[in-house]
Amino acid sequence: MNPINHVAIIMDGNGRWGLKHKKSRNAGHKAGLNTVEKIIKETIKQKIKFLTLYAFSTENWKRPKREINYLFNLLENFLINKIEELNKQNIKLKIIGIKKFTKKLNKLLIHSEKKTFKNKRLQINLALNYGSKYELVNAFRCLSKNKEKINENSISKYLLTNDTPDPDLLIRTGNTKRLSNFLLWQLAYSEIFFERKLWPDFNDKDYNKIIKKFKNTKRNFGKI
Ligand code: IPE
Ligand code: IPE
Ligand code: MG
């Protein structure tokens, strides 16, 4: 059985869910938050140490302002209401992405990271204004500036995930088969599961099914 250290998730399908059920994309984002809580709980139960959640990509700025504002408002309220509980549960929150938001959100993110920094049970990497190509370009720039040798270790060291092992599995909900600029380097050998359900409909049972399948997959890493 394969051990699992790190699960990465592209939480896709909120907008479609919202339109279908409540005639508003934003309602889907709100409903998606409940799934986030369920999946965090189950990740702890499964004793998985790292969970990376794709919440907002560098490309998502192309969406209407109203939707973007709604999303960041949701996140602000989530952090204000839940950070104490996450901390109590010994969860560490780390933001991966370019931290260029409103002053209020920047402050809240830094506060949440600092507060939970020493926690050990589960690390949640929240990918926010994250783009894998940007992350790689930034790593190469740092290497060149510091005149460091270029190899796999040195590149990994300058990625935003430098304290996290590569994902064992990637899940993308929402019935779309693409990576959308997520963890291109880190996913080199991950098992990939594309899930038909939209993110707000995804639940712990679905999650466990995927985990079970993953555990029984023969991982070769080039060997036979
Ligand atoms: C994913 O859901 C969440 C974010 C990108 C913030 P979408 O909003 O992309 O939902 P669909 O794919 O349009 O249904
Ligand atoms: C990927 O979903 C980003 C997040 C889930 C945050 P998108 O819905 O933005 O991806 P594309 O644009 O359909 O590829
Ligand atoms: Mg989408």
Side-chain angles (χ1 to χ4, degrees):
M1 287 243 271
N2 299 314
I4 309 183
N5 278 314
H6 181 187
V7 176
I9 306 182
I10 301 175
M11 310 183 287
D12 196 24
N14 288 349
R16 277 165 284 163
W17 189 95
L19 286 177
K20 192 171 140 199
H21 294 274
K22 315 250 176 194
K23 297 193 172 60
S24 113
R25 292 182 50 85
N26 285 347
H29 292 308
K30 193 170 173 202
L33 255 190
N34 298 329
T35 308
V36 171
E37 293 196 51
K38 272 188 224 160
I39 295 308
I40 292 174
K41 263 194 203 140
E42 194 55 34
T43 305
I44 291 178
K45 220 168 150 191
Q46 295 286 339
K47 299 193 169 63
I48 295 164
K49 287 287 181 192
F50 296 89
L51 175 67
T52 299
L53 299 174
Y54 205 6
F56 195 86
S57 73
T58 46
E59 287 72 32
N60 285 146
W61 294 109
K62 294 172 193 159
R63 295 188 179 203
K65 236 188 173 153
R66 232 185 44 170
E67 180 166 340
I68 296 174
N69 288 342
Y70 186 86
L71 270 168
F72 286 120
N73 248 324
L74 263 187
L75 174 67
E76 266 179 29
N77 288 331
F78 178 81
L79 288 176
I80 291 169
N81 294 322
K82 300 282 174 180
I83 197 64
E84 203 62 58
E85 198 183 316
L86 293 179
N87 190 38
K88 267 197 201 136
Q89 289 187 66
N90 202 5
I91 294 173
K92 174 177 177 176
L93 183 70
K94 179 181 168 169
I95 308 303
I96 59 168
I98 313 161
K99 279 203 201 90
K100 269 192 193 159
F101 307 103
T102 60
K103 248 193 189 161
K104 188 179 171 201
L105 182 57
N106 280 337
K107 244 175 113 175
L108 196 56
L109 292 173
I110 292 169
H111 167 78
S112 306
E113 283 187 311
K114 268 194 186 157
K115 193 177 176 75
T116 60
F117 184 72
K118 288 192 177 143
N119 292 343
K120 292 266 183 283
R121 196 169 181 193
L122 166 69
Q123 174 168 330
I124 299 177
N125 297 319
L126 190 63
L128 209 57
N129 196 12
Y130 174 87
S132 187
K133 286 195 174 180
Y134 168 84
E135 181 188 35
L136 283 162
V137 169
N138 183 57
F140 299 146
R141 281 195 186 132
C142 290
L143 285 166
S144 143
K145 198 171 121 204
N146 299 336
K147 297 195 170 54
E148 283 189 51
K149 273 197 186 144
I150 293 183
N151 55 44
E152 290 188 13
N153 283 337
S154 67
I155 290 170
S156 295
K157 195 174 79 181
Y158 283 106
L159 298 179
L160 297 162
T161 49
N162 57 3
D163 58 350
T164 302
D166 285 345
D168 298 294
L169 66 156
L170 169 76
I171 301 169
R172 180 176 188 140
T173 59
N175 201 20
T176 304
K177 296 189 176 83
R178 54 178 173 254
L179 295 180
S180 304
N181 202 10
F182 190 46
L183 303 176
L184 302 178
W185 173 276
Q186 297 90 331
L187 292 172
Y189 247 114
S190 309
E191 304 296 327
I192 301 181
F193 293 85
F194 292 109
E195 161 71 44
R196 278 171 171 240
K197 279 193 181 178
L198 305 172
W199 179 247
D201 287 329
F202 190 67
N203 60 37
D204 39 0
K205 258 195 187 161
D206 304 314
Y207 188 36
N208 276 321
K209 249 194 222 161
I210 291 175
I211 289 175
K212 202 169 163 200
K213 228 178 172 178
F214 165 83
K215 283 187 173 165
N216 293 310
T217 300
K218 187 169 172 279
R219 302 188 81 190
N220 291 346
F221 299 104
K223 294 178 278 188
I224 51 170

